[in-house]
């Protein structure tokens, strides 16, 4: 693969990684398993158990495992054709995926802020109208 194709793969492959990591660690569909993992990460008897369950509550931590899965699934490597290329690809994918998740979190926060401001303005208008 040329370096240009590798870079395109890097930025495209990071999208599903970010999507999976964000969905598992933040969205309502996985709320119950996530709450269980949060509880186990705080109340686990051993350090190993606490850290294992924490991995499913942190999008950064979880994105490492999702990236590993996608690197294995796609046989994607970056810059080098041997094991070092897989290692570089894994960490590069984590980094790009976390940039995507940060942008998404910022946009969601901004949208939530705008919705709250609109609701407050509508409330004020209703109060003046009454």
């Amino acid at each position: 693969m040329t370096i240009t194709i590798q870079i395109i793969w890097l930025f495209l492959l990071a999208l599903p990684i970010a999507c999976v990591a964000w969905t598992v660690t933040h969205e309502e569909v996985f709320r119950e398993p996530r709450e269980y993992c949060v509880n186990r990460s705080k109340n686990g008897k051993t350090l190993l158990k606490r850290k294992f369950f924490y991995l499913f509550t942190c999008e950064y931590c979880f994105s490492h495992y999702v990236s590993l899965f996608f690197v294995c699934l796609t046989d994607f490597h970056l810059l080098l054709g041997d094991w070092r290329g897989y290692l570089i690809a894994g960490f590069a994918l984590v980094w790009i995926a976390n940039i995507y998740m940060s942008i998404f979190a910022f946009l969601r926060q901004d949208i939530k802020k705008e919705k709250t401001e609109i609701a407050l303005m509508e409330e004020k208008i209703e109060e003046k109208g009454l």
Side-chain angles (χ1 to χ4, degrees):
M1 252 194 277
T2 66
I3 190 69
T4 305
I5 299 298
Q6 289 180 20
I7 298 298
I8 291 169
W9 266 84
L10 174 66
F11 282 90
L12 291 178
L13 196 52
L15 287 168
I17 292 168
C19 179
V20 170
W22 183 272
T23 301
V24 169
T25 60
H26 286 84
E27 296 302 329
E28 184 66 23
V29 70
F30 288 103
R31 182 175 53 87
E32 291 83 4
R34 187 175 48 255
E35 287 174 352
Y36 174 79
C37 289
V38 167
N39 183 31
R40 299 288 297 197
S41 73
K42 291 180 180 175
N43 301 316
K45 300 246 186 256
T46 66
L47 178 67
L48 184 61
K49 282 185 181 179
R50 289 191 304 270
K51 296 305 174 188
F52 173 78
F53 284 104
Y54 181 75
L55 295 175
F56 299 99
T57 65
C58 168
E59 72 271 6
Y60 175 75
C61 302
F62 192 63
S63 68
H64 284 79
Y65 293 94
V66 178
S67 294
L68 178 64
F69 172 77
F70 274 93
V71 166
C72 292
L73 181 70
T74 62
D75 196 35
F76 177 63
H77 54 275
L78 191 59
L79 302 177
L80 304 169
D82 58 5
W83 66 270
R84 298 172 297 169
Y86 295 114
L87 188 65
I88 293 168
F91 286 114
L93 285 167
V94 167
W95 188 66
I96 299 298
N98 278 280
I99 288 173
Y100 290 159
M101 287 186 282
S102 296
I103 292 168
F104 184 68
F106 179 76
L107 289 173
R108 282 185 63 164
Q109 184 179 22
D110 197 41
I111 290 168
K112 187 174 182 178
K113 178 184 170 194
E114 286 180 17
K115 285 181 179 180
T116 304
E117 289 173 351
I118 290 169
L120 288 173
M121 289 184 341
E122 288 174 346
E123 231 177 73
K124 288 180 183 178
I125 290 170
E126 286 179 12
E127 286 175 5
K128 287 181 182 181
L130 293 177

